[in-house]
Amino acid sequence: MLTLSKTQQILIGVALAALIIVTRGHHFASINSLPSASLAVFFLAGLYLRPALTFPALLALCTGLDLYSVYFQGVSNFCVTPAYGFLLPAYGTMWLAGRWFAKHYSFSSKAILPLVGSATVAGALSELFSSGGFYFFGGRYPDPTIAEFGARLLKYAPRQFENIGFWLAVAAVVHITFALANGLSRAKA
């Protein structure tokens, strides 16, 4: 099981919030060449951060950024529909998968399969919630069909998996680097 100090959790929480701010859509701090980190951040928050209030805090951050961009920066409100609420189970799925993986974590190669498996299953469910919710309940498509949704899913889901995989790979490199550095400093003490 993964156990971190309160200080470590605060630092990770700040880094994850900053990552959302920097990569989420067309906001004031957006770096357009970086893929969205939102789904991966919820997974990582579930993995690293124990306080349950972290989940609603990250939801509020995402919602606040979206509303700010629509109302104060003139970004299109195309995605802000009644289906916006489907982001709650989409992000919740990623959060819970991170929580699950935290219980199965070990600093060994044995952790790779549970990590990849939990992130893949959660990513697929999250994509079904967010894209399916938007397609069927967003009011943007007059006659939604399962066939058309399947085609749209095949078109857009790979990008979501790329984004999740990219940010989880970055997080893994950072995690391994800190774990090895911590092990070396303990060995010298």
Side-chain angles (χ1 to χ4, degrees):
M1 178 160 193
L2 186 61
T3 306
L4 299 170
S5 72
K6 199 169 223 170
T7 302
Q8 289 170 321
Q9 290 184 59
I10 290 169
L11 292 173
I12 291 169
V14 168
L16 292 177
L19 195 55
I20 284 180
I21 291 168
V22 170
T23 66
R24 190 168 177 88
H26 303 292
H27 305 299
F28 60 91
S30 178
I31 299 174
N32 291 325
S33 61
L34 290 175
S36 173
S38 297
L39 291 171
V41 163
F42 277 92
F43 182 91
L44 294 169
L47 171 62
Y48 290 118
L49 308 178
R50 295 289 50 96
L53 286 176
T54 306
F55 180 72
L58 287 173
L59 282 174
L61 175 61
C62 291
T63 302
L65 287 170
D66 291 345
L67 293 176
Y68 176 83
S69 69
V70 169
Y71 291 111
F72 297 106
Q73 291 195 302
V75 172
S76 169
N77 67 349
F78 184 78
C79 292
V80 181
T81 69
Y84 190 84
F86 278 87
L87 290 179
L88 176 67
Y91 292 150
T93 299
M94 296 303 290
W95 168 272
L96 291 173
R99 292 287 239 219
W100 178 88
F101 179 65
K103 293 176 184 173
H104 297 87
Y105 168 82
S106 66
F107 190 68
S108 71
S109 60
K110 293 177 187 176
I112 293 172
L113 185 59
L115 170 63
V116 172
S118 61
T120 301
V121 170
L125 290 172
S126 182
E127 180 65 16
L128 287 174
F129 279 123
S130 62
S131 292
F134 181 73
Y135 179 72
F136 289 106
F137 304 106
R140 302 290 189 212
Y141 303 96
D143 296 312
T145 65
I146 295 289
E148 184 180 346
F149 174 65
R152 296 180 67 77
L153 200 59
L154 288 174
K155 181 179 179 182
Y156 295 111
R159 181 65 172 187
Q160 289 290 53
F161 280 106
E162 287 174 14
N163 291 352
I164 294 167
F166 173 79
W167 288 114
L168 291 184
V170 169
V173 168
V174 171
H175 180 94
I176 291 167
T177 301
F178 276 96
L180 292 174
N182 190 32
L184 288 175
S185 66
R186 283 186 186 177
K188 290 180 181 179

